[in-house]
Amino acid sequence: MNAPSKLAELMPQTIEFTLDGQPIQAFGGETIYKAAERHGVEIPHLCFKDGYRADGNCRACVVEVKGERTLAPSCCRNVTAGMEVKATSERALKSQKMVVEMLLSDMPDQGYKWIGDDATQQHGELSAWARKLDIAVRPELKALRREQPKTDISHPAMAVNLDACIQCNRCVRACREEQVNDVIGYAMRGADSKIVFDLDDPMGDSTCVACGECVQACPTGALMPKSHIGSQEVDRKVDSVCPFCGVGCLVTYNVKDEKIVSVDGRDGPANHNRLCVKGRFGFDYAHHPQRLTKPLIRKAGVPKDFGDTPRPDDWSEYFREATWEEALALTTGKLSGLRDTYGAKSLAGFGSAKGSNEEAYLFQKLVRTGFGSNNIDHCTRLCHASSVAALLEGVGSGAVSNQVNDVEHAGLIFVIGSNPTANHPVAATWMKNAAQRGAKIVLADPRRTDISRHAWRTLQFKADTDVAMLNALIHAVIDEGLVDQEFVRTRASNYEALRENVKGYSPEAMAPICGVPAETLREVARAFATAKGAMILWGMGISQHVHGTDNARCLIALATVTGQIGKPGSGLHPLRGQNNVQGASDAGLIPMMFPNYQRVDNPAVHAWFEDFWGTSLDATPGYTVVEIMHKALAPDTDPHKVRGMYIMGENPAMSDPDLNHARHALASLEHLVVQDIFMTETAWLADVVLPASAWPEKTGTVSNTDRMVQLGKRALNPPGDARPDLWIIQQIAKGMGLQWNYEGEESGVAAVYEEMRQAMHAVISGISWERLQRDSSVTYPCLSEEDPGQPTVFIDDFPTADGRVKLVPADIIPANERPDAEYPFVLITGRQLEHWHTGSMTRRATVLDALEPMATASMNQADLVKLGLQAGDVITVQSRRGEVAIHVRRDDGTPNGAVFVPFAYYEAAANLMTNAALDPLGKIPEFKYCAVRIARGGQPMAAAGYGTGSGVPAAVD
């Protein structure tokens, strides 16, 4: 087939029809409403919303079709060839106006304005259409108003005012079809019909997960954020990116009186207007009274007690306020003195995956060119280092092969070691949508999490048996002749070694080890191998083990032997946990890598960066997060003892394993500088604390889990004397003798970005600052301005030396510490929906803290009964390293012999107990497995003012 005819085949087919007497064209399958919209003809509509299934139940959009007796709803009526449509005929307009007037007549007089300057817009889109159609409600219609239900304000985030409900069903579609949470329904009949939550429960008592999709969908304010009660007016709207997980949802901040009052989802490529509870309602942490607003210096003679409980409201006994000049002089003077006295290895830096790409790039450049070593790391070391190690080794790239929403094209979605509905809720919606369309979800996890409700099969394997189970799947594929032989022959290497290795891992042999029946393993292997596309998505349940790299090697092998990579709906996707984990890693916040994963000990790469930055550089890899903590406690005789640190936006006193050890290390440093927005647990141990900018207070780019470089714009100014992070990094650089000049609030950010683009030219050379200003989001690899970006990679080859996947066999390596008679339970740690990372932001967000105000440990009912416990009791969970007293909640998805503890709570810090044993290649700690014992009782630690709520959460049972 020649190129022109092939192109014509791909072009949408057009249909000729007439609209209001004018001949126009519609696309095949297009509705009258969408065709009219494209040609600039406005048709009233209320139940219709772009992106949602058209329902056609409000009848505000009816049009006249020649030859038909009744008017047709334009939102769900497709155009046919030769159709003659009148959208503005006398008959159509009369009906449209009647519908809008009748609906408006039933509205309450709420006495406030909607967004905008027109006081008549009390009811959002309904009032707007009334104004456009020049409708004034007749008094006699007001007299016909039915008795309406009372307002429901039981939910911490949202108000329900069904008096303003027009029963358009948008909220039902939002909840059931978009987010797939199945909370909102339409009940009763006739005059009693209404919107309900679950079994007609108050919204606050329902199973609502507070994604707020219904609020964004509602056209009248019947559902609205509580922060808008009284007035919907705002001073300005600013486009940005969500500051939480790695999905990278685009958002719009609504700002009034210099405060963010609400957040709307934006139509970004990763979220298409969707948000989760954190993205929509977790914004007011930026206005919390505990924000740092002045530089602080530890008072002379006040020791650092790593066992002390931080008191963010009462720091004045330990610190004094200082000017920026004094704080910066002390910072750079001490760091320079340590470097000059003890050598470059005596200093280290922790960057942040919660900041921008520009900040990450400049921070690692400061450490390498100013401190003089590669002792630079960030929280990726604690998240996906083993995944990246296996991916770099196997496929030559640490980035994802396919974007999350590519599950739309998958026949099977394999989710392992991840709880997406809690950790990546918007990504989970794409998975649930795919399941609705017939895709098979397979959940593989020791815990049966919420996504299992949508799963075709759940492989609840025994904790720590990942390699056994995955090798069994690979064995079954090979044993049953399901290998994609052509793909393996042309695109893979070392297959024979893999095949030989898995011979001893038959499903029948592994079933007793992993706890999954052999036939189920074979059934899943067959489905994976024969699916039109099979996509693997994983989280830290895979990576945070001493065998995390081996876990990822097995996933790479499973995708390769079945040919499920390099095409739509297939491939490998490690879900990133923070908003810029991908970007911070890309930018070089890694001790053995320059930007774009170029080895520091590669002579050619090393020479290029020395020339690029105009200075000599250390040619040996630096220390990782955990190694730096060990080096901080090394004896003074160690020539590489770490004596000074600069930490930006990280909280290792909460996020590191074996926290007593980590906190001891931080407290032992001769000089610790912490740059943050709150007095975190790490800042409590600092010598100098520098007040920084929250995400809504800065302009910069972040790169999400889908390889999208996305631009966020400043919506607010930092409070008090707090300063932008990029400015602080530059001041420290200048104080340490570096001649940097990235001046200007936005021009400075742009200058850093353009320099970073040169250092990463192999992947983002086509993404200019101007392009980001225009498009907000561009996927890499993108090598020219005309390149739209490559959402799917490895289509033809892999970026390895020979262009092939390198298959690496893996064998069972047991956890570093296993349960025994003294410590019989397994501790599993992780995140929960309402809180994120170490809780420093989300626990200061009013709604999030109200929804989940206190720490709880989850156990199943059988174990509770065995220990004589009930939900709500206080227990003490103890490992060989530490213990916490915590309330227990029932969760039958937690396996027998295990306890799950989230790590966001200082007063019950899970990482006091976790094991610092490292994966030998990825050098990631074993957060997901250690031995603990459980005893009744204990005294839970007070929250020390971190949260805003109190008491046992309603969902504790």
Side-chain angles (χ1 to χ4, degrees), residues 38 124 225 297 326 381 485 513 617 654 682 687-688 810 881:
R38 281 196 304 104
I297 293 175
E326 181 187 13
R381 183 66 45 209
Q485 296 290 352
I513 295 173
L617 298 170
M654 275 289 287
T682 301
D687 296 283
V688 179
R881 289 156 295 279

Side-chain angles (χ1 to χ4, degrees), residues 762-827:
V763 288
I764 63 170
S765 57
I767 310 176
S768 66
W769 183 257
E770 290 73 24
R771 183 173 180 181
L772 285 170
Q773 294 278 76
R774 181 184 72 244
D775 298 340
S776 293
S777 176
V778 184
T779 297
Y780 75 78
C782 179
L783 304 183
S784 70
E785 283 286 344
E786 297 73 35
D787 186 351
Q790 301 174 39
T792 302
V793 293
F794 315 144
I795 294 173
D796 298 314
D797 56 21
F798 297 90
T800 56
D802 60 1
R804 296 167 175 259
V805 179
K806 180 183 179 182
L807 297 173
V808 181
D811 286 309
I812 295 174
I813 300 173
N816 177 263
E817 177 183 271
R818 299 180 66 80
D820 55 25
E822 189 177 2
Y823 294 90
F825 280 81
V826 171
L827 172 66

Side-chain angles (χ1 to χ4, degrees), residues 3 49 191 224 283 300 472 509 735 937:
K49 179 175 170 62
M224 68 162 58
F283 52 82

Side-chain angles (χ1 to χ4, degrees), residues 616-664:
S616 60
L617 298 170
D618 184 6
T620 58
Y623 299 126
T624 64
V625 165
V626 175
E627 291 170 331
I628 287 170
M629 294 304 183
H630 291 320
K631 283 296 183 180
L633 290 173
D636 286 341
T637 54
D638 187 335
H640 292 165
K641 177 181 173 67
V642 172
R643 299 170 185 270
M645 281 190 69
Y646 173 26
I647 299 177
M648 172 194 152
E650 286 289 287
N651 193 10
M654 275 289 287
S655 61
D656 273 30
D658 191 2
L659 282 183
N660 285 321
H661 176 271
R663 291 170 180 173
H664 184 198

Side-chain angles (χ1 to χ4, degrees), residues 280-300:
R280 195 175 306 273
F281 298 116
F283 52 82
D284 63 339
Y285 72 90
H287 310 301
H288 197 278
Q290 290 176 353
R291 278 294 301 273
L292 295 170
T293 59
K294 289 183 180 296
L296 302 176
I297 293 175
R298 181 171 292 274
K299 289 182 175 180

